[in-house]
């Protein structure tokens, strides 16, 4: 969810100096950009920076908060003008472009040389990081990842004597049983508006159990017959087990129905919405279950973007910048950041969370039996394909104006073309 950013942060993002310097007190100065600044995250990073400065009194860190909507353009402008920060919060969703611009330092050797980091990261996260770039190197020190979550009304399930579903058959049966339109109760809320495609893909691949986004020949698997069947079942929930207004659902509208109106039994999102649900409904009424398993296969989940810290190539204080990245990713601070922001820590030495939704997400991610479908964040066209192009067509599928097969055939053609162009560029 996008939160309003205080004016002081906006001013800081515009006015604060970039890059490194030697302070008047003799300390090394570096600048850290938080590229998703807001009331929930800014205090977390500021606390982490204060702890770093306490442990490293010869280094001063200047925090700059940049709203997520402005971050890509601001970083591009900084790269073009030679005014990048020393270090920044970077997601794999934007990593490929930054590496193509030669803006970031590879960090594999630094991670390997660090006792606090070497061998400490979840391998699925490292795979996601390295798959984004053509040379297979790591360009961010991983901090966290998210995970898909299905938030459900514990009280409704208890009244119906239902357990949280573990398989997709149980899921569809549960949302059907919990639907009572005459009482303004619906088993599910489907995301039909902005942001719909990531959640659709999670349900489709989760049902089919297909584990590769592209096959050996480079063709997208999204239109595999098993995925077509899965999308037909998912789209079939619309207006049957969901409100008709779901066609325009974005995150805010879904939350309003689930948290405020109290008319929805199950809402699909991710771990990041935990605080919103707890604040509105309380721990006695809401909990989450992970992406259900196929009825005859292993649990299959999509790779979520990995958040990490990148050191900029133009930095004149790379040692201090990496030391800050290392501090954020080491066990103690990584645990603090993850707990405060409600995500999965990258460092496997972080003690298990006391929060049930985090514990379950970690169990799934760390389970060797879990199959992770690596999303093609390396494709420059991926965001445009999954947002501008596909969202209106997905709405047509929900309305019955376009078949699931025709939609996924078009989807696959675009992805296959983008993958071929990428392979041609990079060999």
């Amino acid at each position: 969810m996008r939160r309003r950013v205080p004016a002081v942060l906006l001013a800081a993002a515009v006015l604060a100096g970039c890059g490194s310097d030697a302070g008047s007190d003799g300390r090394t100065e570096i600048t850290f950009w938080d590229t998703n600044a807001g009331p929930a995250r800014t205090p977390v990073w500021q606390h982490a920076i204060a702890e770093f400065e306490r442990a490293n009194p010869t280094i001063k860190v200047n925090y700059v908060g940049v709203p997520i909507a402005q971050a890509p353009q601001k970083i591009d402008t900084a790269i073009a003008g030679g005014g990048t920060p020393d270090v920044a919060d970077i997601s794999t969703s934007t990593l490929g472009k930054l590496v193509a611009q030669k803006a970031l330092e590879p960090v594999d050797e630094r991670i390997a040389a660090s006792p606090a980091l070497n061998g400490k990261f979840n391998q699925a996260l490292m795979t996601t990081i390295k798959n984004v770039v053509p040379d297979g190197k790591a360009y961010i020190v991983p901090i966290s990842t998210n995970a898909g979550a299905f938030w459900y009304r514990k009280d409704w399930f208890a009244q119906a004597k239902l357990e949280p579903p573990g398989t997709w058959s149980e899921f569809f049966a549960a949302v059907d049983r919990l639907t009572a339109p005459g009482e303004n109760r619906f088993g599910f809320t489907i995301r039909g508006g902005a942001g719909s495609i990531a959640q659709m893909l999670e349900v489709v691949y989760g049902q089919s159990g297909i584990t590769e986004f592209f096959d050996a020949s480079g063709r997208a698997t999204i239109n595999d017959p098993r995925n077509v069947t899965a999308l037909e079942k998912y789209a079939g929930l619309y207006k049957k087990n969901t409100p008709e207004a779901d066609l325009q659902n974005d995150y805010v509208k879904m939350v309003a129905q689930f948290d405020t109106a109290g008319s929805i039994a199950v809402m699909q999102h991710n771990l990041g919405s935990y605080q919103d649900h707890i604040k509105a409904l309380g721990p006695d009424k809401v909990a989450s279950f992970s992406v259900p398993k196929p009825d005859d296969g292993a649990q299959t989940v999509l790779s979520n973007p990995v958040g990490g810290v990148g050191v900029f190539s133009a930095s004149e204080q790379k040692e201090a910048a990496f030391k800050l990245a290392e501090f954020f990713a080491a066990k103690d601070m990584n645990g603090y950041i993850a707990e405060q922001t409600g995500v999965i820590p990258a460092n496997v030495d972080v003690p298990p969370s006391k929060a049930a939704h985090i514990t379950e997400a970690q169990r799934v991610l760390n389970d060797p039996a879990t199959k992770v479908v690596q999303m093609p964040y390396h494709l420059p066209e991926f965001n445009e394909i999954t947002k501008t192009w596909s969202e209106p067509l997905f709405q047509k599928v929900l309305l019955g104006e376009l078949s699931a097969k025709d939609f996924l055939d078009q989807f696959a053609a675009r992805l296959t073309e983008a993958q071929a162009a990428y392979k041609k560029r990079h060999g």
Side-chain angles (χ1 to χ4, degrees), residues 71-293:
Q73 182 177 358
K74 185 168 175 62
I75 290 175
D76 283 346
T77 300
I79 292 170
T84 62
D86 298 282
V87 61
D89 173 33
I90 302 293
S91 166
T92 47
S93 61
T94 59
L95 182 59
K97 180 180 179 181
L98 293 176
V99 172
Q101 293 171 296
K102 302 187 186 303
L104 298 176
E105 287 285 296
V107 294
D108 302 81
E109 292 182 4
R110 291 183 179 273
I111 290 173
S114 168
L117 304 184
N118 187 32
K120 303 297 185 182
F121 296 126
N122 178 286
Q123 286 307 304
L125 269 64
M126 293 304 296
T127 298
T128 298
I129 288 171
K130 294 183 178 185
N131 278 1
V132 173
V133 295
D135 62 9
K137 294 180 181 180
Y139 285 87
I140 56 173
V141 178
I143 300 293
S144 65
T145 190
N146 211 324
F150 287 76
W151 299 99
Y152 72 98
R153 288 291 299 267
K154 290 169 63 177
D155 49 345
W156 290 23
F157 271 68
Q159 291 165 8
K161 295 182 171 54
L162 287 172
E163 293 295 323
T167 68
W168 284 105
S169 289
E170 293 170 354
F171 168 82
F172 285 107
V175 299
D176 195 50
R177 184 170 170 184
L178 291 166
T179 297
E183 301 172 25
N184 193 34
R185 282 194 173 193
F186 297 91
F188 191 60
T189 175
I190 205 165
R191 190 167 186 169
S196 61
I197 302 304
Q199 296 189 191
M200 179 274 287
L201 292 173
E202 181 174 66
V203 173
V204 166
Y205 278 93
Q207 286 183 75
S208 71
I210 295 170
T211 59
E212 300 292 338
F213 211 85
F214 295 99
D215 65 19
S217 68
R219 296 186 64 84
T221 61
I222 186 62
N223 64 334
D224 182 284
R226 290 167 291 177
N227 282 340
V228 173
T229 299
L231 178 55
E232 288 171 345
K233 290 199 72 172
Y234 180 59
L237 296 174
Y238 176 60
K239 289 200 297 185
K240 176 177 179 282
N241 301 114
T242 79
E244 186 173 354
D246 280 9
L247 186 71
Q248 303 297 333
N249 256 2
D250 57 11
Y251 173 79
V252 174
K253 291 174 183 174
M254 284 198 307
V255 169
Q257 290 185 127
F258 184 72
D259 288 349
T260 307
S263 58
I264 304 297
V266 180
M267 181 193 124
Q268 179 196 5
H269 188 238
N270 58 47
L271 302 179
S273 54
Y274 170 75
Q275 294 293 347
D276 290 326
H277 306 320
I278 291 298
K279 182 178 179 181
L281 297 170
D284 294 335
K285 290 186 177 181
V286 67
S288 71
F289 56 87
S290 58
V291 177
K293 295 180 180 179

Side-chain angles (χ1 to χ4, degrees), residues 148 150 165-168 205-211 289-302 360-361 363-365 367-373:
F150 287 76
T167 68
W168 284 105
Y205 278 93
Q207 286 183 75
S208 71
I210 295 170
T211 59
F289 56 87
S290 58
V291 177
K293 295 180 180 179
D295 294 343
D296 57 355
Q299 191 161 14
T300 304
V301 300
L302 301 184
E360 170 63 7
R363 181 197 67 75
V364 172
L365 189 63
D367 185 347
T370 299
K371 305 300 182 184
V372 180
V373 183

